[in-house]
Amino acid sequence: MTLFKLFGIIDVRMADILDVLLISVILYYIFLLFRGTRAAQMIFGGFLLILAWLIAQWWELHTLVWMLSNLATLGIIAIVILFQPEIRSALTRIGQSVSKVDLRNILFHASGLDDIAQKICTAVQDLAKTKTGALIVLEKRVGLKNYADTGEYLDARISSRLLRALFFPNSALHDGAVILNCKSIVAAGCILPMPTGNAEGDAGYGMRHRAAKALAAESDALIIIVSEETGKISTAYRNNLRRGLTPKELKAEIFRHWHDLFNEVIEEEQTEGDNEAVENKV
């Protein structure tokens, strides 16, 4: 069934639109799988060759068309040989995503939020198993520089191993809080505010839970607490304190907290990259 005519001559069906959308999604996720690897540069080079082939076809440059066509045949074999590790890694990641049957792993892989949330959850889960006390602050829009100044600035990539190491018992920074933004570990060993007076309902809470509640009340940060006595995971946000969270529930909390901000940061970085590219061309 024809929906409309493109340029008045080409019949466009619903199947054609669906076909284009599916190909676009497939190409988009192929690019995401190879982003940051040598293969990404190769894909860009391949697009340039395709563009050159189309121009050669348009101008009827028969020798150039013949050369590019034969080069494409050899290129497919060369791709398989030269980029075996990248292809194997990409197929492994696809298999893992399908086996987990978790659409969030696919939908949020583009921005990296799923990866960061998983690293935080893994570290928190390991700390909870060993009953190692921890206080992790996820900064949002309200700046926490005044509290970061009380600790040691790290500006380090978020990783489970580093988070566990920062709270290792008897280490120099284990007693303070670790402050994270959605891109990095900002600072460690930070001193958080303590509530003034005895707030109602705080009698059964330890120092970490009280400090988390005090900071949550004056900022929009999400604070993750691991109890040294029970190993239970808690979160404080605004005036709410949730206790006894599972790793899955914690990951959902991180998604809700950082999702919009993370997308904004990604868009800003892309805009800055585009502006720099324009300036370099000028």
Side-chain angles (χ1 to χ4, degrees):
M1 178 181 176
T2 302
L3 295 179
F4 60 91
K5 284 186 175 292
L6 185 64
F7 305 122
I9 55 174
I10 302 174
D11 293 334
V12 178
R13 304 169 303 156
M14 178 62 73
D16 297 325
I17 297 174
L18 181 61
D19 193 22
V20 171
L21 287 175
L22 288 174
I23 291 298
S24 300
V25 170
I26 290 170
L27 290 176
Y28 175 70
Y29 280 107
I30 287 175
F31 175 75
L32 291 180
L33 286 171
F34 291 108
R35 186 178 61 177
T37 67
R38 295 179 304 157
Q41 298 173 349
M42 178 271 297
I43 292 172
F44 180 71
F47 283 131
L48 291 179
L49 288 176
I50 293 172
L51 180 62
W53 181 82
L54 291 173
I55 294 173
Q57 286 273 27
W58 181 265
W59 287 348
E60 297 184 354
L61 304 175
H62 301 298
T63 305
L64 184 57
V65 169
W66 175 83
M67 186 181 71
L68 290 175
S69 298
N70 285 278
L71 184 62
T73 304
L74 295 173
I76 295 173
I77 301 173
I79 288 170
V80 175
I81 296 173
L82 293 175
F83 298 100
Q84 253 187 338
E86 285 84 356
I87 294 172
R88 188 186 303 115
S89 175
L91 292 174
T92 300
R93 281 161 57 185
I94 292 172
Q96 289 174 343
S97 298
V98 173
S99 65
K100 289 177 182 177
V101 195
D102 189 352
L103 291 178
R104 284 181 303 181
N105 289 341
I106 299 174
L107 296 175
F108 291 101
H109 178 75
S111 66
L113 180 56
D114 180 79
D115 184 44
I116 289 175
Q118 186 58 53
K119 288 176 180 177
I120 296 172
C121 289
T122 300
V124 170
Q125 188 175 13
D126 292 341
L127 292 167
K129 286 179 181 178
T130 58
K131 293 186 178 180
T132 302
L135 201 54
I136 301 174
V137 181
L138 307 187
E139 184 183 56
K140 199 173 184 182
R141 301 186 188 279
V142 177
L144 301 175
K145 186 178 184 301
N146 53 329
Y147 298 117
D149 287 340
T150 64
E152 296 291 332
Y153 278 95
L154 299 179
D155 192 22
R157 183 172 59 87
I158 297 174
S159 74
S160 300
R161 292 178 64 184
L162 180 54
L163 286 172
R164 290 196 303 267
L166 290 172
F167 291 108
F168 189 79
N170 300 322
S171 66
L173 303 174
H174 82 284
D175 272 337
V178 172
I179 297 177
L180 283 69
N181 59 30
C182 59
K183 296 170 62 179
S184 63
I185 300 176
V186 178
C190 304
I191 300 173
L192 300 188
M194 292 302 295
T196 54
N198 293 322
E200 184 180 353
D202 281 356
Y205 296 143
M207 296 296 288
R208 287 189 179 87
H209 289 81
R210 293 186 182 187
K213 285 187 66 178
L215 179 60
E218 65 178 55
S219 72
D220 61 351
L222 175 70
I223 301 95
I224 303 169
I225 314 106
V226 178
S227 173
E228 194 171 355
E229 290 77 21
T230 63
K232 288 185 177 180
I233 302 169
S234 305
T235 58
Y237 181 71
R238 299 297 190 186
N239 295 318
N240 297 321
L241 180 66
R242 294 184 61 192
R243 308 185 73 174
L245 274 73
T246 64
K248 185 176 181 180
E249 291 172 334
L250 176 61
K251 190 172 182 179
E253 286 280 329
I254 296 172
F255 269 112
R256 280 194 291 268
H257 183 69
W258 266 350
H259 178 255
D260 293 339
L261 179 64
F262 202 95
N263 288 338
E264 290 175 14
V265 170
I266 294 298
E267 289 175 3
E268 288 176 4
E269 290 179 346
Q270 290 174 346
T271 303
E272 290 175 1
D274 293 341
N275 292 338
E276 288 179 3
V278 172
E279 290 175 0
N280 291 335
K281 288 181 180 179
V282 174

